[in-house]
Amino acid sequence: MSDAVQEPAQAVKQSRARLLLVEIRRFVLIFLAASFFLFLALESMPEDPVSLRVKNPDPERIAEIRDSLGLNDPWLTRYVRGVGDFLTLDWGESLISGRPVAGEVARYLPATLELAVLGILFGVSFGLALVLSAHATGWTWLLQPVRGMGALGLTVPIFWIGILFVLVFSVQLGWLPVGGRFDFAYEAPRITGFLLLDSLLVWDLHAFWIACRHLVLPVLTLGLYPAAVVAGTLEARLGESFLERLVTALKSRGFSPARVWGRHVLRLVSGPVVTVIGTQAGALLGGAVLTETVYSWPGMGRFLVDGVLNRDLFVIQHGLLLVVVLALCIVTVSDLIATRLDHQLQNREDS
Amino acid sequence: MKALISLRRLPDAWASFILVFALSGLLFTPYPSREQAFRDRALEGPSWAHPLGIDGLGRDFFSRLWEGSGHTVALAVIALLITLGVAALLVSIERIFPNSIGRFVRMGVGLWVAFPVIFIGLLLLVFLNPSPFTLVLAVGFGNLAFAFRQLRVFWMATRNALYVQSSEVLGSRGWALFRWAIWPNLVPDIFALARLLFAMSALELSGLAFLGLIGDPDFAELGAILKQNQPYLYQAPALAILPGAILSLILLSVHLSRFHR
């Protein structure tokens, strides 16, 4: 290979490595900032969480418990130990239930992840399908709901949509369950905590069906917002003149609509779509917490809210930090994917 | 022509009417919104005396919704003012000291944007008691990074515009330049941003109240009212539907308005 070809490839590799370093640095900085904010918040708690949990508070007993939990150590030691404990998954025990926090999180987190991942997948596919099929077929009336959906995210509360779905599909039509993650009368398979996956692993199709029925309404509710965001972004991007010229050129070469839109255009517009999903990570997590509350979904949302309201020290410390780490992971991964997609675009344009 | 102009202003008039009507619920309601004066008639349907019926705890539902709308609008406006005020302050500091403090501010905002509003709300609740004030602070500070970025872009675009530079060349400086060249051109963008922030704040506030983080269970706020009436979905669905419908109506009216457009 000649030097002229090697040099741009080397430059792309270097810029990717630099980007990765920038993302890692941002990840570490935000993690440290979040853990420090949390530490400060826990330090400023108006009540002592230990004395709240001890029946007949006796100062000696409280001091003993605080010593055993290391709460009387210097602040820097406690902060560093807290970060270390988080990273090593040594999350202590809940002051309310007495159960290990890491175990509780492992019980609730799969339910939240299953819901969030399916919600995002549904939202993104629905938004993409709507806009691309409207452009590919020339049925411009399909774009009307897209324009309406843009306003939806800013005018309709997600928890209200959830309640409307329950009212129509569960209470009135009786098609789907009102809430919960599984039927009480049937024993759920437990291997990984992800019910869809577990029921397939043990090949219990009835359990799979039950889990699917319980997921439909929460996934629809949670997916509407990403669908609106993706459809809006995509529609704006497709209005750009270079894309219009590209579509005309590809059509004139005799490519089928599926190939033009599904292969070429989709590749070009997926970068901004991925970025938008990443920047909406916080809103998506908030939406997941609200959706869980509407459908009595046994996920992290209720666990965290109860933990904060009950001043459950270790639940707050590690559970909240986990939320930030999850949001950060989505942002970082989406940034990296988007940049990779944009590089492809750049290379293609260069060639 | 005049008729056409007045028609163009119809969404503004409608949005103003809705907002004023909602806020008037803070001053007057037909019945006290907290008093459980009609417990023996709980979940009773609409009547002349109670146009929207009685809720599950024996309170006039129309009064609760009216006051709840007022609280939601007022809290969202306070959160919006906090967001815009602090964001404007940060933009000013960042512009005055672009190299030293400015870099620190930009870095801080870059970090802040990664924090979900729900995290900020829960974080505040760790050391503040659940209350409307806590939720307002959570939402106000939660939207700060977004508002800062938008304001900064608006400011830089207007500051570098040709007409501002022409004013400067003609001798306009300091306050005069801001008052006569920058501010009038910044106002439409700020109104558009305020409309967006108002919607975001109202939705986030109601969401946090729906989660039960508002503290006082009797406090009339649309998200909290909806949460309180969710158990009556079978017997009296209107009690759960109306709060969300009213919140959507308020936000849609503001969204469609054309203030300073």
Side-chain angles (χ1 to χ4, degrees), chain B:
Chain B
M1 192 64 191
K2 270 187 179 175
L4 267 178
I5 291 170
S6 60
L7 268 180
R8 276 168 60 85
R9 288 285 162 209
L10 202 61
D12 293 3
W14 172 248
S16 309
F17 168 74
I18 288 279
L19 291 178
V20 170
F21 182 75
L23 286 170
S24 64
L26 298 178
L27 305 172
F28 167 82
T29 49
Y31 299 95
S33 75
R34 287 165 177 259
E35 233 170 69
Q36 300 173 9
F38 312 103
R39 291 184 81 162
D40 51 329
R41 293 160 62 189
L43 298 179
E44 193 182 79
S47 62
W48 282 112
H50 306 284
L52 296 178
I54 312 280
D55 77 359
L57 293 174
R59 296 170 296 198
D60 177 54
F61 194 53
F62 178 66
S63 303
R64 269 190 83 67
L65 273 185
W66 196 0
E67 196 178 304
S69 312
H71 277 140
T72 302
V73 170
L75 294 176
V77 169
I78 298 170
L80 154 74
L81 292 177
I82 291 175
T83 310
L84 276 182
V86 180
L89 185 72
L90 287 177
V91 171
S92 312
I93 293 171
E94 193 262 346
R95 292 285 86 199
I96 294 168
F97 311 103
N99 292 327
S100 52
I101 306 172
R103 189 181 295 166
F104 182 72
V105 170
R106 284 194 299 275
M107 197 178 77
V109 170
L111 295 179
W112 197 243
V113 82
F115 291 103
V117 173
I118 191 118
F119 171 84
I120 296 167
L122 291 174
L123 193 67
L124 280 171
L125 281 164
V126 172
F127 58 96
L128 291 176
N129 285 323
S131 71
F133 172 70
T134 310
L135 298 197
V136 164
L137 280 186
V139 172
F141 284 103
N143 292 329
L144 192 57
F146 172 76
F148 171 85
R149 285 170 154 203
Q150 294 289 324
L151 268 184
R152 188 167 174 267
V153 169
F154 294 153
W155 172 265
M156 283 165 71
T158 314
R159 186 65 186 81
N160 297 329
L162 211 55
Y163 50 81
V164 175
Q165 288 175 1
S166 310
S167 280
E168 226 170 353
V169 170
L170 291 171
S172 210
R173 290 278 183 280
W175 172 250
L177 182 74
F178 176 78
R179 174 68 188 87
W180 301 111
I182 299 175
W183 179 245
N185 296 295
L186 211 55
V187 168
D189 289 333
I190 290 181
F191 263 85
L193 178 62
R195 256 202 314 264
L196 190 63
L197 282 173
F198 173 76
M200 285 164 70
S201 304
L203 286 175
E204 283 158 2
L205 258 163
S206 294
L208 292 172
F210 179 78
L211 289 176
L213 302 179
I214 205 155
D216 180 0
D218 282 334
F219 186 82
E221 192 282 334
L222 293 174
I225 295 175
L226 203 157
K227 177 69 188 163
Q228 216 166 41
N229 290 309
Q230 199 186 347
Y232 308 117
L233 207 55
Y234 284 92
Q235 301 118 293
L239 295 183
I241 294 173
L242 280 172
I246 288 172
L247 180 57
S248 295
L249 176 72
I250 293 171
L251 296 183
L252 190 66
S253 306
V254 174
H255 183 72
L256 295 176
S257 66
R258 303 172 59 90
F259 295 120
H260 278 276
R261 204 178 279 176

Side-chain angles (χ1 to χ4, degrees), chain A residues 26 29-30 33-34 37-38 40-42 44-47 151-160 163-164 166-167 171-172 178 282-283 285-286 289-290 293-295 302 304-305 308-309 311 316 320-321 323-324 327-328 331, chain B residues 107 110-119 121-123 125-130 149 196 199-200 203 206-208 210-213 222-223 226-227 230 233-234 237 240-249 251-253 255:
Chain A
R26 188 176 71 166
L29 267 176
I30 297 174
F37 279 142
L38 255 172
L40 284 183
L42 291 171
S44 340
M45 254 193 211
E47 312 98 346
L152 183 103
L154 281 174
T155 51
V156 184
I158 188 170
F159 47 91
W160 185 59
I163 283 175
L164 288 185
V166 169
L167 195 66
V171 178
Q172 296 296 328
V178 176
L285 282 175
V289 173
L290 288 169
T293 308
V294 171
Y295 294 101
R302 202 65 248 169
L304 279 180
V305 170
V308 169
L309 292 179
R311 305 277 193 261
I316 301 172
L320 279 184
L321 201 50
V323 172
V324 177
L328 262 178
V331 174
Chain B
M107 197 178 77
L111 295 179
W112 197 243
V113 82
F115 291 103
V117 173
I118 191 118
F119 171 84
L122 291 174
L123 193 67
L125 281 164
V126 172
F127 58 96
L128 291 176
N129 285 323
R149 285 170 154 203
L196 190 63
M200 285 164 70
L203 286 175
S206 294
L208 292 172
F210 179 78
L211 289 176
L213 302 179
L222 293 174
L226 203 157
K227 177 69 188 163
Q230 199 186 347
L233 207 55
Y234 284 92
I241 294 173
L242 280 172
I246 288 172
L247 180 57
S248 295
L249 176 72
L251 296 183
L252 190 66
S253 306
H255 183 72

